[in-house]
Amino acid sequence: MECTLCLHCFSPCRLKQSTKRNGELAVAPTQTRKAVVAEHSLKSQKRVLEVEDDPDIREMVSELLLSEGYKVVSAEHGQDALEKMEGGFRPDVILLDLMMPVLNGFDVLRVMHRTPRWSSIPVVIVSANQGHDLVELGAAAIIRKPFDPNVLLNTLRRLLNRAAARIPSGAAR
């Protein structure tokens, strides 16, 4: 089995594993790739809580963020997201859909704004819902669905860099 340098950690890694079968190059199975990408995400300092009820969008965004080195925790609806945070997950940023079953994004925002330990977490609204603005929602950014993955990544980088600039380097989290 050959192993090339990983684009995430620049060392030999299973992420780029390949084997030769009958003289042809075969890429490692998706399941192995997902496990290795998840392994890389554990090394990341940036944690994202993705709150999305559509399983296809949730999986696509999660895989995109994992491939960029983020640690991702996904929630199917607002109540699921609040339970994960109540259970101790402290995201650096939240990607939040507005229209969801059980507990919608508007209600999640209300709870977060009333909860001191959560009120400073930047929230990026990712929704097809039109007619709302940042000030009204109290969000850091709005991305309209369907969205360009590069817009999502650039928005996350901008918000996380801004947050990092506000935190003194020796501050404990």
Side-chain angles (χ1 to χ4, degrees):
M1 190 174 277
E2 294 176 21
C3 189
T4 60
L5 289 183
C6 174
L7 297 176
H8 294 283
C9 60
F10 301 106
S11 64
C13 171
R14 292 181 318 236
L15 185 60
K16 294 290 185 178
Q17 274 184 351
S18 60
T19 58
K20 291 220 177 198
R21 291 190 194 129
N22 299 329
E24 293 184 24
L25 196 60
V27 178
T30 305
Q31 191 60 28
T32 302
R33 184 172 166 73
K34 282 183 181 179
V36 174
V37 170
E39 175 183 286
H40 280 285
S41 72
L42 296 175
K43 299 175 187 174
S44 173
Q45 296 299 310
K46 304 301 178 189
R47 299 169 308 274
V48 178
L49 176 58
E50 172 194 17
V51 190
E52 171 62 58
D53 62 320
D54 182 305
D56 293 330
I57 295 173
R58 195 171 54 244
E59 182 178 355
M60 183 273 298
V61 170
S62 182
E63 286 185 14
L64 173 69
L65 297 178
L66 285 170
S67 74
E68 292 293 316
Y70 293 99
K71 178 175 183 183
V72 181
V73 171
S74 296
E76 295 181 30
H77 49 72
Q79 185 62 40
D80 188 20
L82 294 177
E83 288 171 3
K84 288 178 188 316
M85 290 195 306
E86 193 64 48
F89 181 68
R90 171 72 180 181
D92 293 298
V93 66
I94 297 172
L95 302 177
L96 180 66
D97 189 12
L98 292 177
M99 307 308 293
M100 296 178 291
V102 183
L103 188 67
N104 65 44
F106 299 103
D107 292 333
V108 170
L109 285 167
R110 279 192 271 284
V111 170
M112 288 184 63
H113 291 146
R114 289 192 312 247
T115 307
R117 68 184 182 278
W118 298 338
S119 62
S120 64
I121 301 171
V123 177
V124 177
I125 302 298
V126 182
S127 180
N129 192 304
Q130 303 287 324
H132 301 283
D133 64 23
L134 295 175
V135 174
E136 173 190 358
L137 295 172
I142 296 177
I143 298 174
R144 303 280 180 214
K145 291 179 188 174
F147 59 89
D148 178 338
N150 288 319
V151 170
L152 177 65
L153 292 173
N154 289 334
T155 301
L156 284 176
R157 284 183 201 112
R158 180 178 48 84
L159 289 173
L160 293 169
N161 287 338
R162 186 184 307 158
R166 285 195 301 257
I167 299 171
S169 58
R173 294 191 80 198

